[in-house]
């Protein structure tokens, strides 16, 4: 959707603190989406993408409490076009058996949604989700692998496709890599690279990678320039939200996306209440 560059740049600076084939591949139709105006990505459009680990909408200062409205308010304040979400509860005991966080955030933001389950949890599901202001024309869930015999939490990758004015597809993804086992993260990165190769199209990937730039995990992801992190200069710290000391939440572009988009902004959002992670926002101008 077309945006006025000067106004967007001003709003961007005001809202954020600047920084700098294992498993199954399922095309899941999901539930009906909220009404949307038909839009496509056009030449010169600015696409604003956010990646956000929402900590199942539990504010760190309020253990055990759920504040999904706070997460929705953060998203609406940034006014993104695509949001990559991690740690999303759907009808779990801890968040409420009637609360579908993915669907609720879609309703509160007026966006379409695709939820990708990683695990069954407390009578419901837990995983990743993507919100999109563009009509979603394809939804795919990929299971991520783990090292056999190692006790790790199952992880997934969600991918959606939206269309350009020329009828071409651009893919956006969200993932959350394993937190404790480096070899498992390496296998998961290999899966991300396999998915990217199979797409053969622009692919923008957001997520909580549980690894920092320069680590084996990130080096493995970007090897051969398959992906590049969208940071302009050093990447902003994202965790813990109140006083971040590490950057583990990123937005990456594959080679085709790097050719299709110019990155004109990349920053963390100065948000300390809603989650234990700060959101990251990138502004991408479609060429």
């Amino acid at each position: 959707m077309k945006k006025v560059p000067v106004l967007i740049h001003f709003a961007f600076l005001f809202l954020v603190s600047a920084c700098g084939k294992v498993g199954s591949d399922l095309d899941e139709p999901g539930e009906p989406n909220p009404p949307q105006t038909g839009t496509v990505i056009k030449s010169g459009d600015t696409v604003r993408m956010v990646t956000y680990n929402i900590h199942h909408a539990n504010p760190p200062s309020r253990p055990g409490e759920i504040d999904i409205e706070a997460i929705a308010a953060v998203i609406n304040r940034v006014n993104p076009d695509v949001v990559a979400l991690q740690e999303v509860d759907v009808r779990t005991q801890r968040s409420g058996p009637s609360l579908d966080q993915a669907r609720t955030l879609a309703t509160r933001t007026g966006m379409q949604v695709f939820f990708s389950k990683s695990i069954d949890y407390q009578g419901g599901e837990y995983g990743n989700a993507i919100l999109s202001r563009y009509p979603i024309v394809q939804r795919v869930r990929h299971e991520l692998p783990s090292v056999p015999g190692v006790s790790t939490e199952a992880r997934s990758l969600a991918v959606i496709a939206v269309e350009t004015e020329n009828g071409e597809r651009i893919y956006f993804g969200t993932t959350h890599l394993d937190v404790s086992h480096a070899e498992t993260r390496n296998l998961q990165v290999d899966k991300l690279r396999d998915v990217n190769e199979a797409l053969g199209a622009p692919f923008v990937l957001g997520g909580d990678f549980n690894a920092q730039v320069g680590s084996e995990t990130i080096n493995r992801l970007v090897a051969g320039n398959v992906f590049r992190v969208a940071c302009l200069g050093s990447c902003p710290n994202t965790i813990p939200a109140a006083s971040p000391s590490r950057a583990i939440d990123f937005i990456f572009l594959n080679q085709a996306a790097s050719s299709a988009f110019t990155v004109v902004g990349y920053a963390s959002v100065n948000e300390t209440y809603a989650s234990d992670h700060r959101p990251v926002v990138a502004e991408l101008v479609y060429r």
Side-chain angles (χ1 to χ4, degrees):
M1 49 187 62
K2 202 77 171 183
K3 297 184 177 69
V4 181
V6 174
L7 293 178
I8 287 300
H9 182 63
F10 176 81
F12 185 77
L13 293 177
F14 178 77
L15 286 169
V16 300
S17 57
C19 58
K21 192 113 187 206
V22 178
S24 62
D25 303 331
L26 308 173
D27 192 350
E28 299 184 346
E31 300 176 18
N33 290 306
Q36 291 283 309
T37 301
T39 56
V40 294
I41 299 176
K42 301 176 182 178
S43 179
D45 282 1
T46 297
V47 178
R48 183 177 293 161
M49 180 173 180
V50 169
T51 186
Y52 196 10
N53 181 324
I54 67 169
H55 194 241
H56 63 275
N58 166 229
S61 61
R62 297 168 59 188
E65 295 191 35
I66 300 300
D67 192 346
I68 195 67
E69 300 300 336
I71 299 294
V74 173
I75 294 170
N76 284 328
R77 192 168 83 238
V78 179
N79 190 29
D81 299 299
V82 180
V83 186
L85 299 171
Q86 306 88 45
E87 297 196 13
V88 180
D89 273 1
V90 172
R91 301 189 180 96
T92 66
Q93 182 179 346
R94 71 177 171 190
S95 295
S98 65
L99 177 59
D100 181 333
Q101 292 187 346
R103 182 62 52 187
T104 298
L105 289 173
T107 300
R108 296 293 188 271
T109 61
M111 303 173 80
Q112 296 192 7
V113 65
F114 172 48
F115 173 74
S116 171
K117 181 186 78 170
S118 295
I119 61 172
D120 294 315
Y121 186 74
Q122 292 186 347
E125 299 175 335
Y126 171 77
N128 308 308
I130 304 179
L131 304 173
S132 175
R133 207 166 299 282
Y134 301 102
I136 299 173
V137 297
Q138 185 181 4
R139 301 164 173 82
V140 184
R141 172 184 175 271
H142 301 271
E143 294 180 1
L144 297 185
S146 61
V147 174
V150 175
S151 179
T152 58
E153 181 181 285
R155 304 284 172 143
S156 69
L157 164 69
V159 180
I160 66 165
V162 304
E163 291 189 336
T164 71
E165 60 185 338
N166 298 320
E168 298 173 343
R169 291 191 173 185
I170 294 177
Y171 294 88
F172 294 91
T174 182
T175 195
H176 186 188
L177 301 189
D178 186 76
V179 65
S180 61
H181 195 253
E183 190 176 350
T184 290
R185 281 197 300 274
N186 290 341
L187 287 179
Q188 292 170 349
V189 164
D190 291 345
K191 175 66 175 183
L192 298 179
R193 289 170 63 100
D194 289 345
V195 170
N196 173 68
E197 183 176 2
L199 290 177
F203 182 32
V204 184
L205 174 64
D208 175 354
F209 293 85
N210 277 311
Q212 300 182 68
V213 170
S215 67
E216 181 182 4
T217 296
I218 302 302
N219 287 344
R220 195 179 187 100
L221 181 63
V222 303
N225 296 316
V226 170
F227 284 96
R228 73 174 179 91
V229 66
C231 307
L232 299 172
S234 60
C235 297
N237 291 335
T238 59
I239 189 171
S243 183
S245 59
R246 294 177 295 140
I248 63 173
D249 304 89
F250 304 103
I251 295 172
F252 288 90
L253 286 74
N254 73 352
Q255 288 186 346
S258 293
S259 297
F261 292 101
T262 300
V263 182
V264 298
Y266 188 102
S268 64
V269 179
N270 186 12
E271 164 57 43
T272 62
Y273 166 76
S275 173
D276 60 341
H277 290 243
R278 291 192 177 193
V280 170
V281 55
E283 292 208 329
L284 313 172
V285 176
Y286 187 58
R287 299 173 182 171

